[in-house]
Amino acid sequence: MNQQQCEIGIIGLGVMGQNLLLNIAEKNRLVVGLDQDPRKARAINNPNVHIAKSLHDFIHQLKIPRIVMLMVPAGKPVDDVISELHPFLMENDIIIDAGNSHYKDTDRRLIELAAKGVHLLGVGISGGEAGARFGSSIMPGGDRLAYEHVANIFNDIAAKVDRNPCVAYLGAGSAGHYVKMVHNGIEYGLMQLLSESYGLMKYGLGLSNDELHDIYNDWNQGKWESFLLEITANIFKQADHKSDGRLIDKILDESKQKGTGKWTSESALELQLPTPTINIAVAMRDLSSQREERVNFARKYPAPSSASAPAPMLKEWSRPQFVSKIRDTLYFCTIITYAQGMALLKKASLTFHYDLPLKTVSTIWQGGCIIRSALLKDISAAFEQNPKLCNLLLDSNISQKIFQLEMPTREVVAASISSAIPIPAIANSLLYFDAYRSLQPTANLIQAQRDYFGAHTYERIDEPQKKFHTQWEHSQ
Ligand code: 6PG
């Protein structure tokens, strides 16, 4: 192949890298790929793809300014590849970091590369293997002019909803990686909620895998539709090819994580923006991985006998009635989870000056990504109506749904707790809602305690904006 012909190069030809390479090549664009393991490129057979033999070869295949996409694991591997590239880079070259990099790393690398006149775009890509191949949701951030230079390629490879590509420029600096991180935080919350709904129906109602398949399938219709519901329904049908029965019953209940959910919670804590559903989802992954301790706990604290009667949830309702309440609960908590994620994006946007277009974020999440769902249309409409909306739950269309779903959620939470079936994310979603809307004061006691033991002062309701300290009469 002639030198300087390829529009874009990809470094890192793992599953995601290979599929993106093919996706780009199929849009009639010449693309060069490089991986330290030459075996990874062997299966790629497309006349628009060139596989470079070395970094030197890779760089010389690229048009100027060079566009280099990194598809390597987050953290040190990204820094390593950037330092290897460094001697070859020229002013106006564009590096696209398309992995799940931490947004603080992206901000640091932006500054380092800017010293050489090189642009870094921090780009979140969601949708896994199938998305990379046939269309993902793409969340780019960084220099706007650099983005304009690559926008056509992104438009080509993004998922389409109503013919519109699920990609848009989101903001300066690490905006893209921040949005992808929060996407993943929401993903953690939704996955935990689904797994709790499964626990309720399997252990509380004694439903079979076939029944679970039918129920999730049924829920995944119309206004409930979502990618995670769809795959959840499919999972219950999957046979185990190694032995009898369904695969789901052979999978060890220890969930792993790569860290993006934890980063979301860490950032939310740093920004002092409550995201309890996401936080508990991270904690539940941590708890699930302590299997040995859980076994010891279960021995020491067997479930209370009141909870061990068959189908304890069914004292008051028929099975179909309770299933429909669980569906409402799942929907209620799903709305709450998106609301927490969007509120975090809003706070981060102000704090880090991203100027995130929240309507656009919820629009590009409607296709290609893991958290795509019909609900995102309502979320998008809410931010279209009021771009400054401080919490999604204040939107009138969303609040109508919340009003309808609140009572069934309360009933499910009460029944689950009395049956000792763990529903931490469901309960936390409801508690977040209850705490948010409560005007019954309790934080006044915390202020009094702080002033009592530490003279930290407090404010009075009848004299705003002033600080007071009291010599508490019963101090020792
Ligand atoms: C996506 C996913 C993806 C994520 C995996 C695994 O949007 O395509 O969010 O980026 O890395 O789902 O994440 P965990 O290993 O942390 O569960």
Side-chain angles (χ1 to χ4, degrees), residues 52-63:
K53 294 176 193 67
S54 64
L55 190 53
H56 183 271
D57 181 26
F58 175 86
I59 286 290
H60 287 89
Q61 301 290 344
L62 287 167
K63 285 184 181 169

Side-chain angles (χ1 to χ4, degrees), residues 403-420:
F403 285 133
Q404 282 167 13
L405 302 165
E406 179 190 342
M407 275 326 286
T409 306
R410 217 167 274 296
E411 288 164 343
V412 167
V413 169
S416 312
I417 287 175
S418 59
S419 304

Side-chain angles (χ1 to χ4, degrees), residues 100 126-128 180 183-184 187-188 257-260 285 370:
N100 278 333
S126 176
K180 176 60 177 28
H183 165 285
N184 282 27
E187 174 185 305
Y188 274 53
Q257 51 187 315
K258 296 203 191 78
T260 44
R285 288 205 190 187
I370 306 297

